[in-house]
Amino acid sequence: MASRACACDNARNEHRPHSVIKLVPVARLQPGMYVHNLHCGWLEHDFVRNRFLVADAHDVARIRALGVAEVSIDTARGLDPDAAPAATTPDREDPAGPPPPAVHTASKVAGTPERARNLHREANEIVRNLLADVRLGRQIEIEKVEPLVARIVDSIFTSADALLPLARLKQHDNYTFQHSVSVCALMTAFARTLGLPRETIREIAIGALLHDVGKARIPDEILNKPGKLTEAEFECMKSHVVQSKLILMATPGISPIALEVASEHHERYDGSGYPNRLAGEAISLRGRMAAIVDVYDAITSERVYHKGMPPTEALRKLLEWSSNHFEPRLVQAFIRSVGIYPTGALVRLESRRLAVVQAQNADKPTLPRVKVIFHTAGHYLQPEDLDLRRSQDRIVGHEDFAAWNIDPARWLPQSGRSDRKAPQAPVGATQ
């Protein structure tokens, strides 16, 4: 992959001046300049790429908010502050990554917590019915799926913090279809972070919502078996990927993009996946994305045979596995999409208080907005909304809701409301 990127660079450099890297004060930064190095770690900024064209005054403001004094610019790719202004065009084949995500206008109510909860319930019901239809041999009607996906995409674009936390709330008996809805929401947020076109994101979301339809053809005794599967049972379980592809290929109106998501979500970057043992870029971008999201949602979910892990621990696992199973740059982009401390996660503060992450601060991804609810001495606190950008308190680790007998659903983001009364200390809560 590196050699391919180099070849692309060489071909382009034949048609443009040799790169000149200049260090410029942030105060002199302006739209049209090409950032070569922000001079800060990737966890400290919320740009999808480390190298990019400064598109407008909003980008300038975001860079200034990082607190760095200077950045390096490439004058061959953008404006030179020491030369006469010249029109520039973004390099659409920049190997550093895709262009920044476009800003889309959506109804503000689409992303409110109440609307998000209603949408989540409706989506679960639609997918439940869809899987029931597949079990009966009925064809998927894509026109019933598309309006739902459009609303999910609108919700994520308006306020991902409203819908994404709901992805973690699942029941053992309903895991299959609830997982599909969660993967759809997470893939939408992921694709948006990568700056993919809105129409492409819609097709990705359709594929994500339908990626596991083949499980409708797996016997329930295998699908919901609480113990370890036998070799024969595991082979049967793996067949759901091929079944999903066959079902979707027979669905009028399904796109090649949606098919990639469904047919490649169990492939692995090192070639160890299934069903075709594809490796590297032989797996489509959408397939490589789906592999990351599918595993993340699976390992953070409570299942009959598996205890879900806290999302922050799951992100660490993804980083660990990116040395072989997943493409490293995509894992880092996915972490950006959900947050280093994902919305809805339970975290421990330096003050020994526990808090639930309520929203992300794009300018400071390690300092989200949280709701303080509990003290590790074993008692609830009066709920307090806290923006960690403006607090001396800091996150020191993640916690498990179950370990403290705290109901996560009670503390999901609530449109900024902090008037909920603190419940009694949970039974069994200990220091």
Side-chain angles (χ1 to χ4, degrees):
M1 190 162 66
S3 61
R4 183 176 302 181
C6 291
C8 291
D9 273 341
N10 292 336
R12 285 196 297 274
N13 285 336
E14 291 177 3
H15 303 286
R16 69 183 183 203
H18 181 69
S19 294
V20 177
I21 308 303
K22 288 187 176 182
L23 195 64
V24 299
V26 170
R28 297 186 66 192
L29 196 66
Q30 59 182 289
M33 292 183 178
Y34 191 94
V35 172
H36 179 78
N37 192 332
L38 286 168
H39 298 296
C40 65
W42 73 270
L43 290 178
E44 299 175 55
H45 69 82
D46 65 328
F47 290 96
V48 176
R49 298 166 290 156
N50 289 317
R51 301 178 184 181
F52 56 92
L53 187 81
V54 179
D56 50 31
H58 179 61
D59 279 353
V60 173
R62 289 167 66 194
I63 294 171
R64 289 176 178 170
L66 297 175
V68 295
E70 299 172 311
V71 298
S72 294
I73 64 168
D74 185 342
T75 60
R77 295 188 177 192
L79 292 179
D80 184 345
D82 300 318
T88 59
T89 302
D91 186 349
R92 288 302 188 187
E93 295 185 2
D94 182 359
V103 176
H104 296 274
T105 302
S107 168
K108 289 184 178 180
V109 297
T112 63
E114 182 179 358
R115 290 295 180 98
R117 285 192 293 273
N118 291 339
L119 174 58
H120 187 252
R121 282 194 294 268
E122 183 180 339
N124 284 329
E125 188 62 27
I126 287 174
V127 177
R128 183 208 298 268
N129 293 337
L130 184 149
L131 290 174
D133 286 345
V134 172
R135 286 192 181 97
L136 294 173
R138 296 171 183 160
Q139 190 176 64
I140 293 174
E141 298 178 50
I142 199 71
E143 58 270 19
K144 290 184 178 179
V145 174
E146 289 175 331
L148 170 65
V149 166
R151 291 171 59 200
I152 291 174
V153 172
D154 280 347
S155 182
I156 293 295
F157 269 76
T158 304
S159 177
D161 288 319
L163 185 59
L164 289 184
L166 299 171
R168 298 190 58 233
L169 302 181
K170 300 184 183 71
Q171 300 167 327
H172 292 168
D173 294 342
N174 299 326
Y175 172 79
T176 298
F177 64 84
Q178 291 178 339
H179 169 69
S180 296
V181 174
S182 298
V183 169
C184 178
L186 289 164
M187 280 286 281
T188 301
F190 192 4
R192 187 191 183 204
T193 296
L194 291 176
L196 300 182
R198 184 70 172 257
E199 182 58 28
T200 299
I201 293 176
R202 188 184 74 88
E203 298 301 334
I204 287 173
I206 290 173
L209 192 72
L210 302 176
H211 79 286
D212 267 349
V213 292
K215 286 186 176 178
R217 294 181 175 172
I218 304 299
D220 284 342
E221 58 269 23
I222 294 178
L223 198 60
N224 301 315
K225 183 177 179 179
K228 183 178 180 180
L229 298 178
T230 65
E231 185 174 341
E233 289 170 336
F234 185 52
E235 289 301 315
C236 178
M237 177 66 84
K238 290 197 299 183
S239 72
H240 82 271
V241 179
V242 173
Q243 293 296 331
S244 292
K245 183 176 181 179
L246 292 173
I247 292 167
L248 294 184
M249 287 178 67
T251 301
I254 204 73
S255 72
I257 290 174
L259 274 174
E260 287 174 346
V261 173
S263 62
E264 297 178 359
H265 70 277
H266 276 290
E267 301 290 354
R268 295 294 179 260
Y269 203 59
D270 61 357
S272 63
Y274 63 87
N276 296 317
R277 299 186 68 84
L278 301 177
E281 293 184 9
I283 310 169
S284 69
L285 171 64
R286 275 77 68 164
R288 301 196 303 271
M289 292 167 60
I292 294 168
V293 173
D294 182 67
V295 168
Y296 172 79
D297 190 68
I299 64 178
T300 55
S301 300
E302 297 285 339
R303 303 169 73 175
V304 291
Y305 54 85
H306 172 264
K307 177 177 172 55
M309 65 176 65
T312 45
E313 179 62 26
L315 294 178
R316 287 194 181 94
K317 284 290 185 184
L318 289 180
L319 282 171
E320 177 186 328
W321 294 330
S322 69
S323 62
N324 43 39
H325 293 319
F326 309 120
E327 185 175 358
R329 74 176 182 93
L330 287 181
V331 170
Q332 293 180 357
F334 176 68
I335 293 173
R336 291 182 191 281
S337 73
V338 297
I340 297 167
Y341 300 105
T343 304
L346 184 67
V347 295
R348 179 192 289 257
L349 305 178
E350 283 181 339
S351 59
R352 294 183 60 207
R353 298 182 297 173
L354 302 187
V356 180
V357 178
Q358 299 291 297
Q360 302 297 313
N361 283 319
D363 58 331
K364 295 291 182 182
T366 60
L367 303 175
R369 282 169 281 169
V370 303
K371 186 178 292 293
V372 178
I373 62 170
F374 193 78
H375 196 282
T376 56
H379 58 86
Y380 275 100
L381 303 169
Q382 181 62 35
E384 175 190 357
D385 289 316
L386 196 63
D387 189 334
L388 293 179
R389 292 175 302 181
R390 302 178 178 88
S391 171
Q392 295 299 312
D393 220 344
R394 290 291 182 270
I395 295 174
V396 295
H398 61 266
E399 293 288 338
D400 186 351
F401 281 102
W404 296 97
N405 291 325
I406 297 174
D407 178 10
R410 181 180 177 86
W411 303 106
L412 290 179
Q414 298 283 327
S415 300
R417 289 180 55 195
S418 59
D419 56 351
R420 282 167 294 173
K421 297 177 68 174
Q424 298 298 313
V427 177
T430 57
Q431 188 167 354

